[in-house]
Amino acid sequence: MRKVLAIAGSDCSGGAGIQADLKTMTMHGVYGMSVITALTAQNTMGVTDVMLVSGPFLKKQLEAVFSDIVPDAIKIGMLGNKEIIEALADFFEEHSELIKKIPIVLDPVMVSTSGHRLMDPEAEITLKEELFALAELITPNIPEAEVLVEMSVTNAEEMIEAAGKISETYHCAVLCKGGHSINDANDLLYYDGKYCWFEGKRIDNPNTHGTGCTLSSAIASNLAKAHDLQ
């Protein structure tokens, strides 16, 4: 069985974060593992409190996993602050020869579905500088793409432009998620200077809690199973 590691926060209500990651991995037939960056008190209505782990404890979890069960893919979600991001980057640097062989799907949890910034500016800079270039794929939603390229994204042409800029800047593939788009729910995959669309039907449904976690974990699971990115 292929093995996938989720590095993210815990959701006590089970709909997002590590819980959504592990459920998704199980449904895709891979063995899921977790390194927890934060405990959260949350449910489908919102987050009421967050308790972040320390950088040294994050590295202890990573060392425990990698010394026993080396993953075939890694999904990175909520990291929380600069200390955690730097600890993760340090671990990856210390194991760089191994990490180079493992596909990483990074969901840049920077802006919530409702538009709230989830990281302070210093942590955002560290995330971009330390981790983006290590990822095979990053999966920003439209508000996150707007933050990354400092431009407005309101239509398909601007999605292509933004995804292209992100891909060229950080040398990775980009899946720009269209859930915030006005007229559709189409996702854009941009890689190696080319792009393709994955068309989706927009459903009028408020139950979107954990959708980004689920998608990135599904992609990581199938990269672990040696499917190509597209």
Side-chain angles (χ1 to χ4, degrees):
M1 181 177 277
R2 309 300 281 176
K3 309 168 296 293
V4 183
L5 172 64
I7 303 171
S10 168
D11 170 13
C12 59
S13 73
I18 287 292
Q19 287 80 354
D21 296 334
L22 294 176
K23 291 174 183 179
T24 302
M25 292 170 187
T26 298
M27 293 302 294
H28 283 269
V30 299
Y31 180 77
M33 301 173 287
S34 64
V35 165
I36 295 177
T37 61
L39 300 177
T40 69
Q42 69 170 290
N43 54 30
T44 62
M45 297 179 287
V47 179
T48 55
D49 205 356
V50 177
M51 181 185 295
L52 297 172
V53 306
S54 68
F57 185 70
L58 180 88
K59 292 184 76 172
K60 287 287 187 182
Q61 294 180 79
L62 289 163
E63 288 161 3
V65 171
F66 275 80
S67 64
D68 186 19
I69 311 172
V70 177
D72 298 300
I74 298 171
K75 171 262 167 79
I76 300 174
M78 173 190 173
L79 295 176
N81 64 12
K82 182 180 178 181
E83 179 187 351
I84 291 171
I85 296 166
E86 289 180 336
L88 180 56
D90 287 346
F91 181 87
F92 283 171
E93 176 63 28
E94 292 163 7
H95 300 81
S96 59
E97 291 305 311
L98 178 58
I99 294 299
K100 287 176 185 176
K101 302 173 184 177
I102 302 173
I104 296 173
V105 178
L106 193 156
D107 184 9
V109 185
M110 300 165 63
V111 185
S112 71
T113 300
S114 57
H116 295 294
R117 295 289 278 266
L118 302 174
M119 278 187 182
D120 62 59
E122 193 175 41
E124 287 182 1
I125 292 169
T126 306
L127 177 68
K128 291 184 286 187
E129 292 180 347
E130 300 287 345
L131 295 180
F132 273 21
L134 300 178
E136 178 163 342
L137 175 72
I138 65 173
T139 61
N141 59 31
I142 287 178
E144 287 160 348
E146 290 178 326
V147 168
L148 291 171
V149 297
E150 298 180 343
M151 63 175 274
S152 176
V153 178
T154 60
N155 55 48
E157 290 74 23
E158 289 172 350
M159 281 181 72
I160 295 169
E161 181 183 354
K165 286 182 178 179
I166 297 167
S167 179
E168 290 157 14
T169 300
Y170 300 105
H171 309 290
C172 60
V174 178
L175 183 68
C176 189
K177 298 177 290 191
H180 288 77
S181 185
I182 296 170
N183 297 318
D184 55 51
N186 299 335
D187 296 338
L188 173 73
L189 176 64
Y190 192 106
Y191 64 107
D192 296 335
K194 55 191 176 184
Y195 63 87
C196 62
W197 288 96
F198 295 91
E199 295 185 356
K201 179 182 178 182
R202 178 168 294 279
I203 299 170
D204 184 14
N205 190 329
N207 300 316
T208 57
H209 182 234
T211 50
C213 310
T214 301
L215 177 61
S216 54
S217 292
I219 296 169
S221 297
N222 286 283
L223 288 176
K225 292 158 72 173
H227 292 290
D228 64 51
L229 191 54
Q230 187 170 336

